[in-house]
Amino acid sequence: MRRLNVASKNKALKVVKELDAFPKVPESYKETTATGGGLSIITFIIIAILVISEIKYYTDTELKFDYEVDTNVTGKIKINVDLTVAMKCSSIGADVLDLTGQDVHSYGRLKEEDTYFELTPNQQKYHTFLQEINRYLQEEYHAIQDLMWKSKTPAFRGGMPPRETNPEHGPDACRVHGSLEVNKVAGNFHITAGKAVQIRGANYHTHMANLVLVKDYNFSHRIDHLSFGEPVSGVIYPLDGELQSTKAHFHTFQYYIQVVPTEVRTYLVNENTYQFAVSQRSRQIDHSKGSHGVPGIFVKYDLSSLMIRVREEHKPYWQFMIRLCGIIGGVFSVSGMMHGLSGFLVDLFCCRFKMGKYKPKSFEEASQSATPPSPSLSNPPQDDPAGVSLLAQPQ
């Protein structure tokens, strides 16, 4: 019985050995060359570089975007404003009017501070930096979501620096800043001449523009910040750093904004915010030439019915393992084929031009290689009696 068990085990082991896909080649059958060793070193370096790049690629995260209908239509939306107009605060009024027709003061009030329109050197440096960053993001960097929501802390922290010095003349501009809580419907935030007065029993209001002199009209302005919802730290918005100037007293500046609700769920950010796209238009008002309208700054916004959900995810690691095996096997296979092809081409070249081992030998070299070496007389074979008899015979 024991012999039968041993025989069955040996038979099973023999079957397993026959299925070996990795047979071992004896060292005596292996031939190594300098070119093969150099190619092996280059192959290992390439594999190491590709493996490191794959590890970096798969340890990084990617953003997933889902688009859904925004069902939260009864909530509020916050408008954050920091804007400077080249007119005194007593001559302008800033408010919001939307489709609901609520009282303009029911959304809150913005702060108005007398200031100077001209910037100090430090403030001008900051403003130029904002403009350059926005220009870069709009023209060259087309993956702004990676800058905004990837799990890397943004290095930028905004904020206009305070003034170092003031001009000798008095304040010539008004800084309008603060936040307004408005309904999630289309609306119009505007700054125009005269303070706003709500008309009782009506869903509109008027501005007391008759109290403002024509020479005081100047709607040149600078937007230091304009956003919707809770501002995300480190993000520069499209209108930040916007500067518009005019020499005409009657001029209208219009900004058309499409606001998109955005739910961000990443490893760094977990909040509900709003993205927006903007287009703008400006023109001089001259009633004698048929250009009618109200001078001022008008920000007309509308909310999209779709909501964007942003999620940050890691790439699946099973894909990493597949790509890793493909890299290692592929590089080894390609390097082996290149080594074989280069050897074949070298042999073909040497054979064609009779070089290297294909070089024809001289008559002396051929005769030496063809004639076997004669046995040494001083050391005859000990077990060859015929040899001994040959040496003993006289010549």
Side-chain angles (χ1 to χ4, degrees), residues 83-89 91-92 117-118 172-174 191-194 212-222 243-253 295-297:
L83 186 147
T84 302
V85 186
M87 294 177 65
K88 294 184 178 180
C89 294
S91 301
I92 62 173
F117 194 73
E118 182 181 359
D172 60 353
C174 181
I191 299 176
T192 188
V212 181
L213 300 178
V214 174
K215 66 180 183 65
D216 294 332
Y217 277 70
N218 186 0
F219 285 101
S220 300
H221 62 280
R222 182 181 64 251
L243 176 63
Q244 295 287 346
S245 59
T246 179
K247 295 181 179 179
H249 293 296
F250 298 106
H251 204 107
T252 180
F253 299 92
I297 304 166

Side-chain angles (χ1 to χ4, degrees), residues 43 47 322-337:
T43 300
I47 289 176
I322 294 175
R323 290 170 64 96
L324 196 62
C325 294
I327 287 173
I328 297 175
V331 173
F332 265 114
S333 299
V334 172
S335 61
M337 288 188 292

Side-chain angles (χ1 to χ4, degrees), residues 293-311:
V294 178
I297 304 166
F298 299 88
V299 180
K300 300 179 180 181
Y301 61 91
D302 191 9
L303 276 83
S304 173
S305 59
L306 294 178
M307 179 179 64
I308 301 177
R309 294 183 184 272
V310 184
R311 295 177 290 109

Side-chain angles (χ1 to χ4, degrees), residues 219-378:
F219 285 101
S220 300
H221 62 280
R222 182 181 64 251
I223 301 177
D224 295 324
H225 181 72
L226 179 66
S227 65
F228 293 83
E230 295 296 332
V232 179
S233 178
V235 175
I236 301 177
Y237 293 89
L239 285 176
D240 290 8
E242 182 71 18
L243 176 63
Q244 295 287 346
S245 59
T246 179
K247 295 181 179 179
H249 293 296
F250 298 106
H251 204 107
T252 180
F253 299 92
Q254 296 174 325
Y255 298 93
Y256 301 93
I257 295 179
Q258 183 70 32
V259 184
V260 182
T262 307
E263 183 182 277
V264 185
R265 298 293 181 267
T266 67
Y267 296 107
L268 178 66
V269 182
N270 185 16
E271 61 185 21
N272 297 329
T273 184
Y274 294 87
Q275 301 179 81
F276 65 90
V278 59
S279 59
Q280 58 186 27
R281 177 191 177 195
S282 65
R283 59 185 176 89
Q284 182 178 346
I285 295 176
D286 189 345
H287 297 288
S288 62
K289 296 181 179 180
S291 178
H292 306 290
V294 178
I297 304 166
F298 299 88
V299 180
K300 300 179 180 181
Y301 61 91
D302 191 9
L303 276 83
S304 173
S305 59
L306 294 178
M307 179 179 64
I308 301 177
R309 294 183 184 272
V310 184
R311 295 177 290 109
E312 186 178 9
E313 295 181 351
H314 278 282
K315 302 175 184 66
Y317 283 98
W318 61 268
Q319 291 184 3
F320 168 71
M321 298 302 298
I322 294 175
R323 290 170 64 96
L324 196 62
C325 294
I327 287 173
I328 297 175
V331 173
F332 265 114
S333 299
V334 172
S335 61
M337 288 188 292
M338 291 179 61
H339 182 257
L341 179 60
S342 61
F344 170 75
L345 294 177
V346 169
D347 289 343
L348 185 63
F349 181 81
C350 293
C351 180
R352 176 66 178 83
F353 294 98
K354 307 299 183 180
M355 299 172 58
K357 63 182 180 179
Y358 299 99
K359 182 179 180 181
K361 298 180 180 181
S362 62
F363 177 77
E364 291 79 5
E365 294 176 347
S367 60
Q368 288 179 2
S369 61
T371 304
S374 60
S376 176
L377 297 179
S378 58

Side-chain angles (χ1 to χ4, degrees), residues 24-36:
K24 306 300 184 295
V25 180
E27 293 291 336
S28 58
Y29 292 105
K30 294 181 180 179
E31 181 182 358
T32 58
T33 60
T35 56

